[in-house]
Amino acid sequence: MAEILIVEDEPSINELIRKNLCLAGHHCTRVFDGMEAIILLDQKKFDLILLDIMLPGADGYEVFEKIQGTPVIFLTAKSELSDKLRGLNRGADDYITKPFQMLELAARVEAVLRRTKKTENYFELDNVRLDFERRLILVDGKPVDCTPKEYDLFDTLVRNRNIALSRERLLELVWGYDFDGGTRTVDVHIQRLRAKLGLEERIITVYKLGYRLEAPV
Ligand code: CA
């Protein structure tokens, strides 16, 4: 779990980001104004800041100048993607252009947190443990014999936990765009994972869509 500050003046985008990052197990603080962000950053430490550019009070660049040592992902409209941001980006950790997919944002957030070691290198659910560094899944402390694809599938479910993923999206994320097999492949792998990990109650079938890993937040 990471402490994330969302600086975005558009209420609907701000709320959407908060909702998704909370579901992924993070704690989010929201502000809608650049000045407010600067004041808050004086008082509180965050693990990551999501920072819009065009903001009332003070713009994203001004806020960025006040940030020391905290990773930043800029949220920017394509039209705002100026040379200034490209220059700043050497100091920032990443930027993402609006409109963006929530999954993409979640992946960027996890990547930055991982790189800056603000996130755990394992994930635990019931008696199952996913060890990201050793690429191992353990049940009751014992490594489970699973294929690389089964590992990748579980890893993807964990990183997007509590989010419903369509079979097509899972195919894309785990098997890649050029995979020829159908979505049945996903079902087969899900069945095997459920059985091997004993997570029948946790890996939920989402009617007419796909699957979701349910984990307490
Ligand atoms: Ca804005």
Side-chain angles (χ1 to χ4, degrees):
M1 187 196 91
E3 283 287 339
I4 301 177
L5 176 64
I6 306 165
V7 190
E8 165 65 67
D9 60 322
E10 176 59 49
S12 59
I13 300 179
N14 197 317
E15 173 57 16
L16 190 68
I17 296 172
R18 185 203 63 79
K19 210 168 116 192
N20 279 274
L21 294 182
C22 281
L23 287 173
H26 300 301
H27 186 259
C28 299
T29 304
R30 306 195 297 154
V31 294
F32 302 87
D33 177 285
M35 229 20 241
E36 224 183 307
I38 290 172
I39 293 165
L40 187 63
L41 284 165
D42 243 6
Q43 306 162 347
K44 197 171 173 320
K45 269 275 180 208
F46 293 92
D47 298 317
L48 173 67
I49 301 163
L50 302 182
L51 183 56
D52 185 24
I53 303 284
M54 299 292 281
L55 288 164
D59 71 22
Y61 300 119
E62 291 171 75
V63 177
F64 186 71
E65 281 170 22
K66 309 284 180 199
I67 298 168
Q68 283 177 341
T70 305
V72 173
I73 298 177
F74 275 108
L75 308 171
T76 172
K78 268 229 167 67
S79 57
E80 300 165 5
L81 196 60
S82 66
D83 291 343
K84 193 171 176 185
L85 173 58
R86 290 200 187 92
L88 271 182
N89 195 49
R90 286 178 206 137
D93 286 85
D94 207 347
Y95 65 84
I96 186 163
T97 53
K98 293 185 261 186
F100 48 78
Q101 294 266 327
M102 260 316 137
L103 278 180
E104 191 190 351
L105 180 74
R108 300 279 189 98
V109 164
E110 293 308 317
V112 169
L113 291 174
R114 202 159 302 285
R115 207 156 60 220
T116 55
K117 299 265 182 236
K118 298 289 187 195
T119 192
E120 305 285 357
N121 52 12
Y122 65 89
F123 168 81
E124 272 181 338
L125 180 63
D126 302 337
N127 56 343
V128 177
R129 183 183 178 105
L130 175 60
D131 183 327
F132 295 112
E133 269 170 23
R134 292 192 294 161
R135 279 185 62 88
L136 276 180
I137 306 172
L138 304 114
V139 174
D140 294 323
K142 291 187 199 76
V144 174
D145 183 20
C146 65
T147 66
K149 282 290 177 250
E150 286 165 1
Y151 176 89
D152 289 342
L153 179 59
F154 189 56
D155 180 287
T156 301
L157 290 170
V158 165
R159 288 177 201 272
N160 298 287
R161 55 191 174 274
N162 298 312
I163 299 174
L165 296 166
S166 68
R167 290 180 174 81
E168 290 75 16
R169 185 66 185 149
L170 284 167
L171 266 184
E172 222 171 88
L173 290 170
V174 177
W175 281 267
Y177 285 100
D178 49 1
F179 180 69
D180 279 340
T183 52
R184 178 84 193 114
T185 307
V186 177
D187 300 328
V188 170
H189 280 76
I190 288 279
Q191 300 316 327
R192 285 194 206 134
L193 262 186
R194 276 180 178 147
K196 284 185 182 180
L197 308 183
L199 291 178
E200 289 87 352
E201 310 287 313
R202 294 289 197 180
I203 302 174
I204 309 291
T205 302
V206 182
Y207 181 63
K208 284 193 174 170
L209 181 85
Y211 299 97
R212 181 180 71 240
L213 178 70
E214 279 200 347
V217 291

